[in-house]
Amino acid sequence: MNSRLSDACGGLRIRTEGSTDSSRKQFGLKCKTNYHFWANILSLFLWGIVGITATLGFVPTALALEYNKEILVEADFSGRDLTDSSFTKANLRQSNFSHANLNGVSFFAANLESANLEGSDLRNATLDSARLVRANLTNALLEGAFAANARFDSAIIDGADFTDTLLRPDEQKKLCKLAKGTNPITGRDTRDTLFCP
């Protein structure tokens, strides 16, 4: 006798001949096992998507790194978030820090000769005793930086913002001879931020 059974696994129709209660039970158990297997796989997949979404949605802040006394000549740190990192007494000659977040970074007594700091965020950075000879500070933000005893001989400071930056009077006069431009982010004139006459 032919009969049609609809299993519990998604409405699949099968044709059985002379099926008995025991074969129906075995078939039902197999369908339930398959159903639970695929339900577990789907559950794991969905939890994976939730985990990835949560990870991307809550990006941790940058970890402060220490490069104290390291020789990093021509190193490329461009575009990186180096908030609160330390480069104390590091040799960073000709290094690239363009468009990097250097907020709160310590460059105490660091050699930044000919370094590219264009468009970098140096707010609240420590530049005390740093050597910024021929450094490119075009459009850099130095608001609130501590730059006592820093040397800026022949530095490019077009559009740099020195608001509330602590400088030696003689370095301030040197910078006023070079100062021009307006910072594109703050809209402040470089000469005004240096209190140039």
Side-chain angles (χ1 to χ4, degrees):
M1 181 171 177
N2 290 340
S3 65
R4 291 182 179 235
L5 295 175
S6 178
D7 71 27
C9 300
L12 177 66
R13 294 184 178 264
I14 59 167
R15 180 171 247 166
T16 60
E17 288 191 28
S19 58
T20 64
D21 283 338
S22 64
S23 66
R24 286 183 188 169
K25 285 180 185 176
Q26 285 178 347
F27 181 73
L29 287 174
K30 186 176 181 182
C31 287
K32 285 183 182 178
T33 304
N34 285 340
Y35 173 78
H36 287 295
F37 173 76
W38 288 110
N40 287 338
I41 295 292
L42 181 62
S43 177
L44 288 172
F45 177 72
L46 291 175
W47 276 111
I49 290 175
V50 168
I52 291 169
T53 304
T55 301
L56 295 177
F58 301 105
V59 178
T61 55
L63 297 174
L65 303 171
E66 285 195 18
Y67 296 98
N68 299 333
K69 297 182 180 177
E70 298 224 10
I71 298 172
L72 298 164
V73 176
E74 297 180 355
D76 186 5
F77 293 99
S78 59
R80 289 189 47 194
D81 186 352
L82 297 164
T83 303
D84 295 327
S85 293
S86 181
F87 292 87
T88 298
K89 297 183 180 178
N91 186 353
L92 300 160
R93 191 168 40 87
Q94 296 179 340
S95 292
N96 185 1
F97 288 95
S98 62
H99 306 286
N101 183 355
L102 304 170
N103 198 318
V105 168
S106 174
F107 284 114
F108 177 78
N111 180 7
L112 289 158
E113 182 181 345
S114 301
N116 183 3
L117 295 153
E118 181 179 352
S120 61
D121 182 352
L122 286 156
R123 288 177 292 176
N124 304 308
T126 300
L127 297 166
D128 188 28
S129 301
R131 190 166 188 256
L132 292 144
V133 176
R134 292 186 297 280
N136 180 2
L137 291 160
T138 303
N139 298 327
L141 287 172
L142 292 110
E143 187 173 353
F146 182 74
N149 298 316
R151 291 187 51 212
F152 292 92
D153 300 335
S154 303
I156 303 167
I157 60 167
D158 301 355
D161 187 339
F162 287 90
T163 302
D164 298 327
T165 299
L166 183 63
L167 294 163
R168 278 191 351 219
D170 59 325
E171 285 298 318
Q172 184 178 2
K173 286 179 185 175
K174 283 185 200 173
L175 290 172
C176 281
K177 291 178 183 175
L178 304 169
K180 62 181 178 180
T182 302
N183 188 276
I185 295 171
T186 63
R188 297 179 188 133
D189 185 73
T190 302
R191 294 184 62 79
D192 292 342
T193 64
L194 286 166
F195 297 105
C196 297

